[in-house]
Amino acid sequence: MVDEFSSFARMPKAAPESMNLAEVVKDATVLQRVSTRDIDIDVDVSKADFVFLFDRRLVTQAVTNLVKNAAEAIDGRAHKDGLERGHVLVEAGIEHHVPFIRVTDNGVGLPKENRNRLSEPYMTTREKGTGLGLAIVKRIMEEHGGRLRLQDAPSGIGARVTLEFSRLPEPLLVASA
Ligand SMILES: Nc1ncnc2c1ncn2[C@@H]1O[C@H](COP(=O)(O)OP(=O)(O)OP(=O)(O)O)[C@@H](O)[C@H]1O
Ligand SMILES: [Mg+2]
C-alpha cells in the first residue's frame, strides 16, 4: 500500500472543498508516471474540467492506490515477452451528472473468485500486499457518498476499476467546454 494511511482505522474523514476534478486526477498521476517508466500511464481528463466538492487528499490517495494496483497487475503478467506493453489508462469525467474516475489496465485481470470481497480489508492475492489498498479506496468513496466498481477491462485483458461520486445537482458548474 502507498503511504500515510498505514492504519486503516486512522483514515481521516473527508473534508470536501471545491476542486477541479481534471487537475486533481492529473496531479495524482504525475509521480507514478515518472516512476513507472516501463509502463505507459495515459491520462484523459478532457471531460473532467469542472468543479465540485470533494477531498483532494483522499481522492489523490484513491487514484494512487488504483494506479499502483494496475502497475502491479501488469508486473504480474506471466510471460512478459511477446506481450503488449504495459498500459494504464486513467480517465475522469461525468456521466448522467455522476462524476467518475476510471482506471483500466492490461494486467493479469481480477481474480475470478471472491471478486466482490477484494475491497474488504486484508483481502490480498499478493505476497507482499496488505490488502488495504482497495479497502481504503472503498472507504474514501463512501465518505464521498459514492462507490467503487470492479470489472474486467472491456478488451477482455486486464481490469477496470471505477470510482463513482454522488450525483451532482443541476446546474453543474463546468469550468470550460
Ligand atoms: N488492477 C488490478 N488487476 C488485478 N487484480 C487487482 C487489481 N486491483 C486489485 N486487484 C486484486 O485485489 C486484491 C486487493 O487489492 P488491494 O489494493 O486491496 O490490496 P493489495 O494490492 O493486494 O495490497 P496493497 O494495496 O496493500 O499493496 C489484490 O491483491 C488483487 O488480487
Ligand atoms: Mg493495492
Side-chain angles (χ1 to χ4, degrees):
M1 188 188 54
V2 192
D3 121 63
E4 54 201 270
F5 311 133
S6 40
S7 159
F8 183 56
R10 245 193 291 133
M11 217 189 73
K13 280 227 161 306
E17 289 178 89
S18 282
M19 287 289 164
N20 182 294
L21 184 63
E23 281 172 21
V24 171
V25 170
K26 201 163 17 113
D27 290 351
T29 55
V30 169
L31 272 183
Q32 281 162 311
R33 293 184 73 186
V34 295
S35 64
T36 335
R37 292 243 177 250
D38 49 340
I39 296 173
D40 295 324
I41 302 181
D42 288 331
V43 179
D44 180 359
V45 291
S46 55
K47 296 192 176 70
D49 191 10
F50 57 86
V51 169
F52 69 106
L53 284 174
F54 62 93
D55 185 314
R56 178 195 188 105
R57 199 163 74 98
L58 293 184
V59 169
T60 298
Q61 177 71 52
V63 172
T64 305
N65 289 5
L66 296 189
V67 173
K68 178 174 175 278
N69 281 350
E72 287 167 350
I74 288 167
D75 285 340
R77 298 187 302 186
H79 305 287
K80 291 193 180 143
D81 296 343
L83 274 187
E84 208 188 313
R85 195 174 150 82
H87 186 232
V88 181
L89 176 61
V90 182
E91 295 165 289
I94 185 160
E95 232 168 56
H96 307 299
H97 305 281
V98 175
F100 69 87
I101 300 170
R102 188 158 72 191
V103 178
T104 309
D105 65 64
N106 62 351
V108 286
L110 296 167
K112 294 276 170 283
E113 283 170 21
N114 290 330
R115 214 173 249 214
N116 48 2
R117 299 189 54 200
L118 292 174
S119 57
E120 291 177 9
Y122 311 112
M123 273 295 288
T124 184
T125 60
R126 288 198 267 269
E127 217 169 282
K128 289 184 179 147
T130 66
L132 285 178
L134 284 180
I136 287 171
V137 175
K138 184 172 178 224
R139 177 84 75 86
I140 289 171
M141 292 318 293
E142 285 168 358
E143 283 281 311
H144 286 84
R147 63 192 205 118
L148 162 71
R149 252 177 209 275
L150 302 169
Q151 295 166 293
D152 293 322
S155 69
I157 295 170
R160 167 171 279 182
V161 182
T162 307
L163 309 183
E164 290 175 357
F165 291 83
S166 58
R167 195 173 185 279
L168 294 183
E170 296 171 74
L172 171 66
L173 199 56
V174 179
S176 68

